[in-house]
C-alpha cells in the first residue's frame, strides 16, 4: 500500500484572504492527500514547526500580502533549521500574487516552484505528485 | 535546537527509536507517519516503544462538530503549560470516503504555544476507521508517551452517538456541548453522553446556556450511580473563561481514578482495545488473503449473488476454513 502524501497549506504574513488557500487545500484532498491547513497569519517559525510536527511532504504557501520576498525565504530557512537538514526533503511551493521578476530570487532562496494566479489546481496537484522529494512507496 | 532528520533505509526503526528517546521532533513525527501508514518498519519500532512507556495522562476531548473542541484543546495546552507540564496533542478529522484525502483543520484554532518546544501537535485522519479516531491512535499515544510528554490530549472527530472509541484510550473523557442543542442532548444521550467523565458546556456566552446545563444535569441524574458524579464546567473557550476550572475537574477525576483503583482497570481496558484492533486486523487479513488464494472467497461471493447462501454462513465457513 502506498503511503499517504501529507501537505501543509500555509498562510504566512498579514493578508486575510484564504480563498485561494482553501481552493488548493480541497484540490489536494480530492487528489487523495492529507492536507493540514495552518489558518491565517502564521509566522515562518510557526509554519516550519507545523511542517516538521505534521511530517509533511509538501509545504504549499499562499501569499497575497506582497511580503513574499522576505517571508518565503524565511520559511525555507526555518525549515532547514527545524529539520537539521542541509537540503530539504520537503517540496516547497508558493502561489498567490507574485510578480514574474521576483521568482528567480525566490527559487535561489530554496522555493521549489512558484505558481501564478492563472495556474489551474490540476496543474499544481500534478506538479506536486511528480516532484515529491521523499519516496511514496 | 538542531536535529538531524531521520533518513530512510536500513535500520530506520532503530534510528527512529533512538531519536524519539533523545527527544528529536523530526524523529517522533516520522515515526507517527510510519505507524499510521502501517509500514513494515513500524512493527519493530513499536515493539521497543511499548517497553519504554512512561504512563502519561491521556485526556480525550469529544463532542458534536463545531462545539469548540479544538479551541478548548488549545486552552488546555495553555493550562497544562502553566503547570509546567509538557503536552502532546492528537487531533483527528475524517477522511473523505470519495478521494481518501482529508482536510485536517483543527490547527487553525491553535493560537498559543505554536513554537513551544514542550508542545507537540499532530493532526491525524480517520482513513476509514470508525469510532471517531484513527486505527492507530493507541500506538500514536504510545509513541508520544515514550517521547516523554506529561500530558496527551486527544481530540476526536466531531462525534455523535457511535464515536466512542476515545473511552478506551483516555483516562478522562471530556464531553463538550454547546447551548441550545436541546434536542441534540436527547439525541446523543445514548452515545457520547454516557462516556463523559467531565462535561464541558462551552459557548456559555451564548443564550440558553443555563437551560442546557439543566438538561445535562437531568441526563446525569438518569445515569447509574457510581463513585464519580461527572461535574459540568461552563467555559468560553475563545476567551479562556472557565478553562482552569476545566483542568481542575480533569485533575479531580484523575485523583478519583487513582484513589478508587480504577486507573489500573482503565489501563487494562486500553490494552485490550489495542489488542482488539490488531486481532481484527490480522485475522481479517489472513482470512481474506487465503480465501482469495484458494478461490473460496470467489465462491462465497457467487453464492451470495445467486441467493444460495447468506453472509453470516459464508463468513463462518471462511473462518472455519482459514483460521483453524
Ligand atoms: N461564542 C463562542 N464561540 C466559540 C467558543 N469556543 C469556540 N467558539 C467558536 O466556535 C467555532 C468552532 O470552534 P472549534 O474549536 O473549531 O470547534 P470544534 O469542535 O473543534 O470543531 P470540529 O473539529 O470541526 O468538530 C469557532 O469559530 C470558535 O471560535 C465560545 O466559548 N463561545
Ligand atoms: Mg476541531
Amino acid at each position: 500500500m502506498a503511503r499517504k502524501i501529507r501537505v501543509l497549506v500555509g498562510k504566512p504574513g498579514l493578508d486575510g484572504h484564504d480563498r485561494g488557500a482553501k481552493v488548493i487545500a480541497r484540490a489536494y484532498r480530492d487528489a487523495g492527500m492529507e492536507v493540514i491547513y495552518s489558518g491565517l497569519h502564521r509566522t515562518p517559525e510557526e509554519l516550519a514547526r507545523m511542517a516538521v510536527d505534521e511530517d509533511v511532504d509538501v509545504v504549499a504557501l499562499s501569499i497575497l500580502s506582497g511580503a513574499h520576498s522576505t517571508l518565503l525565504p524565511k520559511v525555507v530557512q526555518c525549515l532547514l533549521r527545524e529539520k537539521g537538514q542541509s537540503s530539504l526533503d520537503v517540496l516547497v511551493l508558493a502561489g498567490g500574487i507574485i510578480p514574474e521578476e521576483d521568482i528567480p530570487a525566490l527559487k535561489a532562496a530554496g522555493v521549489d516552484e512558484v505558481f501564478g494566479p492563472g495556474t489551474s489546481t490540476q496543474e499544481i496537484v500534478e506538479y506536486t505528485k511528480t516532484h515529491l522529494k521523499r519516496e511514496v512507496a | 535546537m538542531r536535529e538531524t532528520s531521520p533518513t530512510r533505509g536500513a535500520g530506520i526503526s532503530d534510528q527512529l527509536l533512538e531519536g524519539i528517546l533523545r527527544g528529536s521532533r523530526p524523529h517522533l513525527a516520522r515515526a507517527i507517519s510510519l505507524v499510521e501508514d502501517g509500514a513494515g518498519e513500524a512493527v519493530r519500532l513499536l515493539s521497543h516503544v511499548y517497553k519504554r512507556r512512561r504512563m502519561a495522562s491521556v485526556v480525550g476531548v469529544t463532542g458534536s462538530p463545531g462545539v469548540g473542541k479544538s479551541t478548548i484543546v488549545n486552552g488546555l495546552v495553555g493550562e497544562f503549560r502553566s503547570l509546567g507540564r509538557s503536552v502532546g496533542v492528537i487531533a483527528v478529522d475524517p477522511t473523505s470516503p470519495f478521494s481518501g484525502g482529508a482536510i485536517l483543520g483543527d490547527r487553525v484554532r491553535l493560537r498559543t504555544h505554536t513554537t513551544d518546544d514542550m508542545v507537540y501537535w499532530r493532526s491525524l485522519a480517520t482513513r476509514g476507521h470508525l469510532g471517531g479516531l484513527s486505527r492507530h491512535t493507541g500506538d500514536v499515544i504510545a509513541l508520544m508517551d515514550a517521547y516523554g510528554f506529561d500530558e496527551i490530549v486527544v481530540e476526536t472527530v466531531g462525534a455523535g452517538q457511535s464515536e466512542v472509541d476515545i473511552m478506551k484510550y483516555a483516562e478522562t473523557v471530556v464531553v463538550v456541548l454547546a447551548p441550545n442543542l436541546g434536542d441534540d442532548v436527547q439525541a446523543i444521550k445514548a452515545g457520547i453522553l454516557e462516556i463523559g467523565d467531565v462535561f464541558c458546556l462551552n459557548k456559555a456566552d451564548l443564550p440558553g446556556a443555563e437551560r442546557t446545563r439543566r438538561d445535562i444535569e437531568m441526563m446525569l441524574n438518569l445515569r447509574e450511580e457510581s463513585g464519580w458524579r461527572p461535574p459540568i464546567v461552563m467555559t468560553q473557550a475563545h476567551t479562556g473563561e472557565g478553562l482552569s476550572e476545566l483542568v481542575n475537574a480533569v485533575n479531580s477525576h484523575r485523583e478519583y481514578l487513582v484513589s478508587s483503583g480504577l486507573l489500573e482497570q482503565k489501563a487494562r481496558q486500553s490494552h485490550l482495545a489495542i489488542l482488539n484492533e490488531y486481532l481484527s486486523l490480522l485475522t481479517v487479513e489472513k482470512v481474506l488473503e487465503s480465501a482469495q488464494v484458494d478461490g473460496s472467497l470467489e465462491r462465497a461471493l457467487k453464492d451470495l449473488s445467486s441467493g444460495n447462501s447468506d453472509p453470516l454462513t459464508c463468513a463462518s465457513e471462511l473462518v472455519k476454513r482459514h483460521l483453524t
Side-chain angles (χ1 to χ4, degrees), chain A residues 4 35 49 53-55 84, chain B residues 3 33 100 104 107 117 120:
Chain A
K4 282 279 173 194
V35 185
R49 180 53 72 85
D53 287 2
E54 299 284 5
D55 191 41
Chain B
E3 306 288 1
S33 300
L104 312 173
R107 263 193 183 272
D117 284 343
Y120 178 94

Side-chain angles (χ1 to χ4, degrees), chain B residues 57-73:
Chain B
S57 306
V58 184
V59 184
V61 177
T62 190
S64 302
V67 289
K69 296 180 293 298
S70 299
T71 318
I72 284 165
V73 170

Side-chain angles (χ1 to χ4, degrees), chain B residues 96-161:
Chain B
S96 152
F98 303 107
S99 67
I103 294 181
L104 312 173
D106 294 313
R107 263 193 183 272
V108 174
R109 308 278 170 240
L110 182 68
R111 287 291 157 183
T112 56
H113 300 280
T114 47
T115 54
D116 182 341
D117 284 343
M118 295 295 128
V119 176
Y120 178 94
W121 179 295
R122 180 64 176 238
S123 312
L124 300 180
T126 56
R127 300 190 182 177
H129 192 255
L130 303 176
L133 299 173
S134 82
R135 181 186 283 281
H136 296 287
T137 299
D139 294 330
V140 177
I141 290 172
L143 285 169
M144 288 189 174
D145 188 16
Y147 184 89
F149 291 111
D150 300 319
E151 304 279 345
I152 296 172
V153 181
V154 184
E155 176 184 346
T156 73
V157 302
Q161 311 195 17

Side-chain angles (χ1 to χ4, degrees), chain B residues 25-300:
Chain B
R25 302 176 83 93
H27 286 78
L28 174 62
R30 198 82 269 283
I32 293 175
S33 300
L34 286 188
V35 165
E36 281 285 298
D37 288 338
E41 298 99 327
V43 179
R44 194 179 143 78
L45 172 64
L46 286 172
S47 76
H48 290 289
V49 160
Y50 274 97
K51 292 177 194 137
R52 303 291 190 126
R53 293 204 58 167
R54 309 177 193 213
M55 295 302 142
S57 306
V58 184
V59 184
V61 177
T62 190
S64 302
V67 289
K69 296 180 293 298
S70 299
T71 318
I72 284 165
V73 170
N74 184 42
L76 283 178
V77 167
E79 293 295 324
F80 284 135
R81 287 300 295 127
S82 68
L83 297 171
R85 319 261 300 159
S86 61
V87 194
V89 177
I90 300 169
V92 189
D93 276 314
T95 292
S96 152
F98 303 107
S99 67
I103 294 181
L104 312 173
D106 294 313
R107 263 193 183 272
V108 174
R109 308 278 170 240
L110 182 68
R111 287 291 157 183
T112 56
H113 300 280
T114 47
T115 54
D116 182 341
D117 284 343
M118 295 295 128
V119 176
Y120 178 94
W121 179 295
R122 180 64 176 238
S123 312
L124 300 180
T126 56
R127 300 190 182 177
H129 192 255
L130 303 176
L133 299 173
S134 82
R135 181 186 283 281
H136 296 287
T137 299
D139 294 330
V140 177
I141 290 172
L143 285 169
M144 288 189 174
D145 188 16
Y147 184 89
F149 291 111
D150 300 319
E151 304 279 345
I152 296 172
V153 181
V154 184
E155 176 184 346
T156 73
V157 302
Q161 311 195 17
S162 55
E163 291 82 1
V164 294
D165 273 5
I166 186 63
M167 66 177 288
K168 302 175 191 162
Y169 299 108
E171 287 139 28
T172 304
V173 175
V174 177
V175 169
V176 185
L177 299 145
N180 284 326
L181 295 170
D183 293 343
D184 245 48
V185 172
Q186 287 293 336
I188 62 183
K189 73 174 173 204
I192 62 168
L193 274 195
E194 274 172 17
I195 65 168
D197 301 306
V198 172
F199 286 86
C200 171
L201 179 48
N202 190 41
K203 309 198 184 186
D205 51 309
L206 300 184
E210 191 44 43
R211 226 204 81 196
T212 307
R213 199 186 63 76
R214 282 199 303 272
D215 285 349
I216 304 168
E217 200 80 61
M218 244 156 60
M219 224 54 79
L220 289 177
N221 288 337
L222 299 175
R223 259 172 59 152
E224 214 175 296
E225 290 279 332
S226 78
W228 175 257
R229 163 92 186 187
I232 304 171
V233 183
M234 310 272 268
T235 58
Q236 299 177 34
H238 63 318
T239 65
E241 183 82 29
L243 286 170
S244 61
E245 287 81 356
L246 183 59
V247 168
N248 288 342
V250 169
N251 284 334
S252 302
H253 180 251
R254 235 174 238 171
E255 281 159 23
Y256 162 73
L257 287 179
V258 173
S259 64
S260 64
L262 280 173
L263 194 61
E264 228 166 293
Q265 208 173 309
K266 286 250 178 188
R268 266 178 70 92
Q269 189 178 300
S270 129
H271 292 141
L272 180 62
I274 299 176
L275 207 55
N276 214 328
E277 210 55 73
Y278 277 108
L279 279 175
S280 48
L281 192 70
L282 294 176
T283 50
V284 168
E285 232 167 48
K286 179 169 186 311
V287 170
L288 282 180
E289 235 165 59
S290 32
Q292 203 146 27
V293 171
D294 78 349
S296 51
L297 178 64
E298 195 47 46
R299 281 199 300 281

